[in-house]
Amino acid sequence: MTMDGKIAMVTGGSRGIGRAICVRLAAMGATVGVNYVANPAAAEETLRQIEAAGGKGFTVRFNVADAEAVQEGIKEIIATHGQIDILVNNAGITRDGLVARMKDEEWDSVLDTNLKGAFLCSKAVMRTMMKKRWGRIISISSVVGFVGNSGQVNYAAAKAGLTGLTKSLARELAGRNITVNCVAPGYIVTDMTDGLSEDVQEALKAQIPLGTLGTPEDVAAAVAFLASSDGNYVTGQTLHVNGGMYMGH
Ligand code: NDP
């Protein structure tokens, strides 16, 4: 499953699941762009872990929800590295609340980052992949996009939207040998889930057939499969990594 010579970019690669994806792809030989928006120290730590494992990478700051910033950031990577072969749309935020109290701004910011961000980044990298007649676009969805969650209409809508984006883009790009897929994690131990109380975590575990929350590395392994040549014939799919919590079709 070597990725020698491939250039990858992982949005939100500075922490959590994104960091594990960066380290995993770099360990397989890819040169990995660690994107972030607010936390340079965390991005540098991802780069340190990549290099400690003998891999290569670089950090790149831009807000995935800002069309101009995405264009600029990706242009800069292509100017320096010549191409982007693998894009992982991982950057994501939550702004939870019941609909009755949800502000328009909370809806917009989650849709802009989690869904529009994937559209903007995919659009910006497509041309270089089309030229090379090889590419991988992998978006990180969520079990919540499939089963829903009270207090997360914005997040669930964005994550469900990624499935439609993925299937349609997979059809558009298949002729150029570019695969487009989603990985849908269940509950994974990261900053995003750290805020959950012990009680909530125990209740969640009770719904998970494998009996534990997942790790960022569990998700990274699924991304690595889809990004590698082992995933050559898989496109338009969602790979669920959730301990059996939701058994999708
Ligand atoms: P974290 O909160 O730990 O990390 C989020 C990452 O996204 C950070 O690197 C952050 O950068 C980056 N980010 C946020 N907004 C932007 C933006 N506008 N532009 C660029 N980067 C941005 O999240 P997780 O690792 O938990 O989640 C990663 C992905 O996995 C998300 O899409 C999430 O929805 C999804 N997911 C997570 C699950 C979980 O249980 N944790 C379950 C299912 C899906 P910075 O450090 O600069 O803030």
Side-chain angles (χ1 to χ4, degrees):
M1 297 219 296
T2 175
M3 291 184 188
D4 287 349
K6 301 277 191 245
I7 310 294
M9 193 190 69
V10 180
T11 67
S14 50
R15 292 186 277 122
I17 292 172
R19 174 181 287 169
I21 295 169
C22 288
V23 172
R24 177 69 192 248
L25 296 182
M28 291 166 75
T31 299
V32 180
V34 181
N35 161 258
Y36 68 102
V37 65
N39 199 335
E44 288 301 328
E45 172 57 19
T46 300
L47 193 55
R48 197 197 60 74
Q49 291 188 19
I50 287 173
E51 288 169 353
K56 286 180 290 195
F58 54 93
T59 61
V60 52
R61 181 180 205 158
F62 61 81
N63 176 358
V64 296
D66 177 339
E68 240 171 72
V70 168
Q71 281 290 342
E72 280 305 304
I74 287 177
K75 216 165 91 185
E76 198 181 304
I77 298 173
I78 294 172
T80 310
H81 297 275
Q83 69 214 53
I84 293 176
D85 306 286
I86 299 162
L87 167 67
V88 183
N89 291 311
N90 164 82
I93 57 168
T94 51
R95 296 285 181 272
D96 297 352
L98 297 173
V99 171
R101 282 196 290 272
M102 185 174 286
K103 298 189 181 76
D104 292 1
E105 185 278 323
E106 291 169 330
W107 170 271
D108 289 342
S109 60
V110 169
L111 270 287
D112 283 353
T113 302
N114 298 13
L115 183 57
K116 190 176 178 193
F119 161 71
L120 293 172
C121 292
S122 302
K123 191 173 162 186
V125 301
M126 266 167 50
R127 192 185 298 270
T128 173
M129 292 179 179
M130 286 164 82
K131 268 199 222 147
K132 290 199 74 187
R133 295 194 167 267
W134 197 95
R136 298 283 196 258
I137 297 175
I138 299 157
S139 297
I140 308 301
S141 174
S142 167
V143 66
V144 168
F146 291 81
V147 302
N149 198 17
S150 170
Q152 289 198 307
V153 289
N154 48 1
Y155 185 79
K159 294 301 188 183
L162 284 175
T163 316
L165 181 158
T166 291
K167 289 179 181 175
S168 303
L169 192 58
R171 289 185 187 278
E172 288 190 18
L173 298 180
R176 302 297 182 107
N177 194 32
I178 299 165
T179 67
V180 189
N181 292 287
C182 280
V183 170
Y187 284 89
I188 308 297
V189 182
T190 69
D191 291 349
M192 196 177 265
T193 46
D194 243 13
L196 301 174
S197 68
E198 275 292 308
D199 287 356
V200 172
Q201 295 208 19
E202 285 311 313
L204 282 172
K205 283 182 196 166
Q207 296 171 44
I208 302 172
L210 285 177
T212 57
L213 270 62
T215 66
E217 289 72 25
D218 292 328
V219 181
V223 172
F225 161 69
L226 291 168
S228 75
S229 55
D230 283 355
N232 274 346
Y233 201 54
V234 181
T235 197
Q237 306 299 318
T238 295
L239 183 45
H240 294 272
V241 182
N242 61 24
M245 181 182 180
Y246 164 74
M247 300 189 184
H249 49 77

